[in-house]
Structure formats: structure tokens, C-alpha cells
Amino acid sequence: QLQASGGGLVQAGRSLKLSCVASGSILSIGDMGWYRQAPGKQRELVARITSGYSTVYGDSVYGRFTISRDNAKNTMYLQMNSLKPEDTAVYYCNAYVVLTSPRLGYEYWGQGTQVTVSS
């Protein structure tokens, strides 16, 4: 399973760092990503990172957010700088996880963590 944490209430211009930990009988983890969903809006891509550390960012966060991962800890991070009120949303982590037994891959979603940016 995936467990996201690190959300909270922050003023505009400040920073937050989200974490997402994968747990269980894990053989390997492929692509990982962060998505967000604001009230009344569709879920959108924030950033994704491959197992080889290639990254992709959504246009609205490019240059402000940084995605990273620690494969030894089965953990992914999202460093969010220069936060804006429009970044307010529930942030979800996503990962393709290959289990040890049975040796099958599944796409998992974390439970979401709320980020609220006040103006």
C-alpha cells in the first residue's frame, strides 16, 4: 500500500514537503507520481518520476515543485516551494509496484493528503 503524508495549512509563498511510502512485499517500484484534486475539479498530474529518475511536471507547478525518490526506502517526495492558493487540493501519490509473491505488478493509490494554501 501507499501512505502519503506531509500536508497541512501554509501561507502563500511558503514551502511544504510531501512524502509517500510504499509498504508490503515489494520486489520493485516502477513509475511513481503525484496527482492533486481540488474541489469541483478533475484530478490532475502534478509530477511523475520513473525508476530511472526521469521527471515530468504539470505546467502549473513547473519550476516550483521538485519530485524525487529514494528507492532504498521505497519512498517518493514532493518538495513544494512558492506555494499559491491555487495549489490547494488533496494530493494523491501513485505507483506501479511489483510484488514478490505473486510476482505481479499493480497500480496503487495513496489515501491523499490535504494541502491548503492561504492568501
Side-chain angles (χ1 to χ4, degrees):
Q1 63 178 6
L2 298 181
Q3 181 73 36
S5 62
L9 173 63
V10 66
Q11 288 185 325
R14 305 298 289 265
S15 299
L16 275 177
K17 187 173 184 178
L18 306 183
S19 299
C20 176
V21 180
S23 61
S25 300
I26 297 171
L27 178 64
S28 64
I29 302 177
D31 290 4
M32 305 181 78
W34 290 97
Y35 293 76
R36 67 186 182 187
Q37 187 166 19
K41 295 187 176 182
Q42 289 187 331
R43 188 172 296 189
E44 65 173 356
L45 170 71
V46 177
R48 289 193 64 82
I49 184 167
T50 69
S51 56
Y53 302 99
S54 295
T55 58
V56 173
Y57 293 92
D59 290 342
S60 61
V61 306
Y62 187 83
R64 299 188 297 122
F65 291 9
T66 302
I67 190 171
S68 61
R69 63 191 288 171
D70 184 335
N71 289 335
K73 296 181 179 179
N74 292 334
T75 302
M76 172 181 61
Y77 305 97
L78 184 68
Q79 177 66 47
M80 304 185 294
N81 298 329
S82 302
L83 282 162
K84 305 175 180 180
E86 50 264 44
D87 293 318
T88 295
V90 177
Y91 284 70
Y92 297 91
C93 58
N94 168 266
Y96 184 81
V97 179
V98 179
L99 303 179
T100 56
S101 180
R103 192 162 290 188
L104 295 174
Y106 298 92
E107 183 179 23
Y108 290 93
W109 288 89
Q111 85 287 2
T113 184
Q114 176 70 47
V115 173
T116 302
V117 184
S118 62
S119 58

PDB file of all heavy atoms in Angstrom, residues 8-14 83-88 115-119:
ATOM      1  N   GLY A   8      -0.788  20.015   4.964  1.00  0.00           N
ATOM      2  CA  GLY A   8      -1.124  20.922   6.049  1.00  0.00           C
ATOM      3  C   GLY A   8      -1.574  22.258   5.537  1.00  0.00           C
ATOM      4  O   GLY A   8      -1.818  22.432   4.341  1.00  0.00           O
ATOM      5  N   LEU A   9      -1.682  23.208   6.466  1.00  0.00           N
ATOM      6  CA  LEU A   9      -2.090  24.576   6.147  1.00  0.00           C
ATOM      7  C   LEU A   9      -0.844  25.453   6.144  1.00  0.00           C
ATOM      8  O   LEU A   9      -0.075  25.452   7.120  1.00  0.00           O
ATOM      9  CB  LEU A   9      -3.095  25.071   7.180  1.00  0.00           C
ATOM     10  CG  LEU A   9      -3.502  26.544   7.106  1.00  0.00           C
ATOM     11  CD1 LEU A   9      -4.205  26.841   5.787  1.00  0.00           C
ATOM     12  CD2 LEU A   9      -4.391  26.898   8.297  1.00  0.00           C
ATOM     13  N   VAL A  10      -0.661  26.212   5.069  1.00  0.00           N
ATOM     14  CA  VAL A  10       0.525  27.043   4.944  1.00  0.00           C
ATOM     15  C   VAL A  10       0.163  28.348   4.243  1.00  0.00           C
ATOM     16  O   VAL A  10      -0.797  28.382   3.454  1.00  0.00           O
ATOM     17  CB  VAL A  10       1.628  26.286   4.175  1.00  0.00           C
ATOM     18  CG1 VAL A  10       1.216  26.035   2.744  1.00  0.00           C
ATOM     19  CG2 VAL A  10       2.956  26.996   4.259  1.00  0.00           C
ATOM     20  N   GLN A  11       0.898  29.400   4.537  1.00  0.00           N
ATOM     21  CA  GLN A  11       0.657  30.669   3.867  1.00  0.00           C
ATOM     22  C   GLN A  11       1.261  30.683   2.474  1.00  0.00           C
ATOM     23  O   GLN A  11       2.265  29.984   2.206  1.00  0.00           O
ATOM     24  CB  GLN A  11       1.258  31.804   4.687  1.00  0.00           C
ATOM     25  CG  GLN A  11       0.499  32.114   5.967  1.00  0.00           C
ATOM     26  CD  GLN A  11       1.062  33.333   6.672  1.00  0.00           C
ATOM     27  OE1 GLN A  11       2.274  33.558   6.644  1.00  0.00           O
ATOM     28  NE2 GLN A  11       0.194  34.106   7.304  1.00  0.00           N
ATOM     29  N   ALA A  12       0.701  31.477   1.621  1.00  0.00           N
ATOM     30  CA  ALA A  12       1.222  31.619   0.259  1.00  0.00           C
ATOM     31  C   ALA A  12       2.683  32.054   0.313  1.00  0.00           C
ATOM     32  O   ALA A  12       3.069  32.874   1.150  1.00  0.00           O
ATOM     33  CB  ALA A  12       0.403  32.628  -0.517  1.00  0.00           C
ATOM     34  N   GLY A  13       3.476  31.464  -0.577  1.00  0.00           N
ATOM     35  CA  GLY A  13       4.893  31.772  -0.635  1.00  0.00           C
ATOM     36  C   GLY A  13       5.774  30.838   0.178  1.00  0.00           C
ATOM     37  O   GLY A  13       6.993  30.825  -0.012  1.00  0.00           O
ATOM     38  N   ARG A  14       5.157  30.076   1.075  1.00  0.00           N
ATOM     39  CA  ARG A  14       5.924  29.156   1.908  1.00  0.00           C
ATOM     40  C   ARG A  14       6.084  27.803   1.223  1.00  0.00           C
ATOM     41  O   ARG A  14       5.674  27.617   0.065  1.00  0.00           O
ATOM     42  CB  ARG A  14       5.227  29.002   3.262  1.00  0.00           C
ATOM     43  CG  ARG A  14       4.972  30.300   3.981  1.00  0.00           C
ATOM     44  CD  ARG A  14       6.249  31.045   4.317  1.00  0.00           C
ATOM     45  NE  ARG A  14       7.013  30.389   5.358  1.00  0.00           N
ATOM     46  CZ  ARG A  14       6.925  30.699   6.653  1.00  0.00           C
ATOM     47  NH1 ARG A  14       6.057  31.615   7.041  1.00  0.00           N
ATOM     48  NH2 ARG A  14       7.686  30.083   7.531  1.00  0.00           N
ATOM     49  N   LEU A  83       4.418  28.287  -2.717  1.00  0.00           N
ATOM     50  CA  LEU A  83       3.040  27.805  -2.818  1.00  0.00           C
ATOM     51  C   LEU A  83       2.065  28.947  -3.048  1.00  0.00           C
ATOM     52  O   LEU A  83       2.250  30.068  -2.550  1.00  0.00           O
ATOM     53  CB  LEU A  83       2.664  27.032  -1.556  1.00  0.00           C
ATOM     54  CG  LEU A  83       3.231  25.601  -1.504  1.00  0.00           C
ATOM     55  CD1 LEU A  83       3.215  25.064  -0.094  1.00  0.00           C
ATOM     56  CD2 LEU A  83       2.464  24.697  -2.445  1.00  0.00           C
ATOM     57  N   LYS A  84       1.021  28.646  -3.814  1.00  0.00           N
ATOM     58  CA  LYS A  84      -0.012  29.603  -4.159  1.00  0.00           C
ATOM     59  C   LYS A  84      -1.365  29.075  -3.678  1.00  0.00           C
ATOM     60  O   LYS A  84      -1.547  27.857  -3.559  1.00  0.00           O
ATOM     61  CB  LYS A  84      -0.065  29.806  -5.669  1.00  0.00           C
ATOM     62  CG  LYS A  84       1.253  30.223  -6.300  1.00  0.00           C
ATOM     63  CD  LYS A  84       1.123  30.288  -7.815  1.00  0.00           C
ATOM     64  CE  LYS A  84       2.434  30.693  -8.469  1.00  0.00           C
ATOM     65  NZ  LYS A  84       2.308  30.751  -9.954  1.00  0.00           N
ATOM     66  N   PRO A  85      -2.323  29.953  -3.460  1.00  0.00           N
ATOM     67  CA  PRO A  85      -3.665  29.480  -3.054  1.00  0.00           C
ATOM     68  C   PRO A  85      -4.248  28.465  -4.040  1.00  0.00           C
ATOM     69  O   PRO A  85      -4.955  27.538  -3.626  1.00  0.00           O
ATOM     70  CB  PRO A  85      -4.489  30.770  -3.015  1.00  0.00           C
ATOM     71  CG  PRO A  85      -3.491  31.820  -2.665  1.00  0.00           C
ATOM     72  CD  PRO A  85      -2.236  31.424  -3.383  1.00  0.00           C
ATOM     73  N   GLU A  86      -3.928  28.608  -5.314  1.00  0.00           N
ATOM     74  CA  GLU A  86      -4.457  27.663  -6.309  1.00  0.00           C
ATOM     75  C   GLU A  86      -3.813  26.286  -6.227  1.00  0.00           C
ATOM     76  O   GLU A  86      -4.239  25.364  -6.926  1.00  0.00           O
ATOM     77  CB  GLU A  86      -4.318  28.226  -7.728  1.00  0.00           C
ATOM     78  CG  GLU A  86      -2.945  28.755  -8.074  1.00  0.00           C
ATOM     79  CD  GLU A  86      -2.820  30.258  -7.876  1.00  0.00           C
ATOM     80  OE1 GLU A  86      -3.308  30.782  -6.832  1.00  0.00           O
ATOM     81  OE2 GLU A  86      -2.219  30.913  -8.765  1.00  0.00           O
ATOM     82  N   ASP A  87      -2.798  26.127  -5.389  1.00  0.00           N
ATOM     83  CA  ASP A  87      -2.230  24.799  -5.148  1.00  0.00           C
ATOM     84  C   ASP A  87      -3.043  24.016  -4.124  1.00  0.00           C
ATOM     85  O   ASP A  87      -2.768  22.832  -3.883  1.00  0.00           O
ATOM     86  CB  ASP A  87      -0.791  24.917  -4.647  1.00  0.00           C
ATOM     87  CG  ASP A  87       0.157  25.478  -5.695  1.00  0.00           C
ATOM     88  OD1 ASP A  87       0.041  25.084  -6.868  1.00  0.00           O
ATOM     89  OD2 ASP A  87       1.018  26.312  -5.320  1.00  0.00           O
ATOM     90  N   THR A  88      -4.044  24.647  -3.520  1.00  0.00           N
ATOM     91  CA  THR A  88      -4.883  23.986  -2.534  1.00  0.00           C
ATOM     92  C   THR A  88      -5.615  22.818  -3.169  1.00  0.00           C
ATOM     93  O   THR A  88      -6.307  22.976  -4.175  1.00  0.00           O
ATOM     94  CB  THR A  88      -5.897  24.977  -1.935  1.00  0.00           C
ATOM     95  OG1 THR A  88      -5.187  25.987  -1.209  1.00  0.00           O
ATOM     96  CG2 THR A  88      -6.865  24.265  -1.000  1.00  0.00           C
ATOM     97  N   VAL A 115      -3.554  19.667   1.250  1.00  0.00           N
ATOM     98  CA  VAL A 115      -2.687  20.843   1.263  1.00  0.00           C
ATOM     99  C   VAL A 115      -3.575  22.071   1.088  1.00  0.00           C
ATOM    100  O   VAL A 115      -4.339  22.152   0.119  1.00  0.00           O
ATOM    101  CB  VAL A 115      -1.637  20.784   0.134  1.00  0.00           C
ATOM    102  CG1 VAL A 115      -0.865  22.101   0.052  1.00  0.00           C
ATOM    103  CG2 VAL A 115      -0.684  19.628   0.360  1.00  0.00           C
ATOM    104  N   THR A 116      -3.491  22.992   2.023  1.00  0.00           N
ATOM    105  CA  THR A 116      -4.274  24.217   1.962  1.00  0.00           C
ATOM    106  C   THR A 116      -3.327  25.408   2.045  1.00  0.00           C
ATOM    107  O   THR A 116      -2.532  25.503   2.983  1.00  0.00           O
ATOM    108  CB  THR A 116      -5.292  24.284   3.118  1.00  0.00           C
ATOM    109  OG1 THR A 116      -6.151  23.139   3.059  1.00  0.00           O
ATOM    110  CG2 THR A 116      -6.139  25.546   3.000  1.00  0.00           C
ATOM    111  N   VAL A 117      -3.403  26.268   1.051  1.00  0.00           N
ATOM    112  CA  VAL A 117      -2.549  27.448   0.989  1.00  0.00           C
ATOM    113  C   VAL A 117      -3.418  28.695   1.157  1.00  0.00           C
ATOM    114  O   VAL A 117      -4.317  28.936   0.350  1.00  0.00           O
ATOM    115  CB  VAL A 117      -1.775  27.505  -0.339  1.00  0.00           C
ATOM    116  CG1 VAL A 117      -0.819  28.699  -0.341  1.00  0.00           C
ATOM    117  CG2 VAL A 117      -1.021  26.210  -0.583  1.00  0.00           C
ATOM    118  N   SER A 118      -3.145  29.446   2.205  1.00  0.00           N
ATOM    119  CA  SER A 118      -3.924  30.662   2.470  1.00  0.00           C
ATOM    120  C   SER A 118      -3.239  31.876   1.844  1.00  0.00           C
ATOM    121  O   SER A 118      -2.015  31.934   1.754  1.00  0.00           O
ATOM    122  CB  SER A 118      -4.086  30.863   3.969  1.00  0.00           C
ATOM    123  OG  SER A 118      -2.827  31.047   4.574  1.00  0.00           O
ATOM    124  N   SER A 119      -4.050  32.823   1.450  1.00  0.00           N
ATOM    125  CA  SER A 119      -3.504  34.037   0.806  1.00  0.00           C
ATOM    126  C   SER A 119      -3.158  35.112   1.828  1.00  0.00           C
ATOM    127  O   SER A 119      -3.485  35.011   2.991  1.00  0.00           O
ATOM    128  CB  SER A 119      -4.508  34.584  -0.195  1.00  0.00           C
ATOM    129  OG  SER A 119      -5.732  34.861   0.451  1.00  0.00           O
TER     130      SER A 119
END
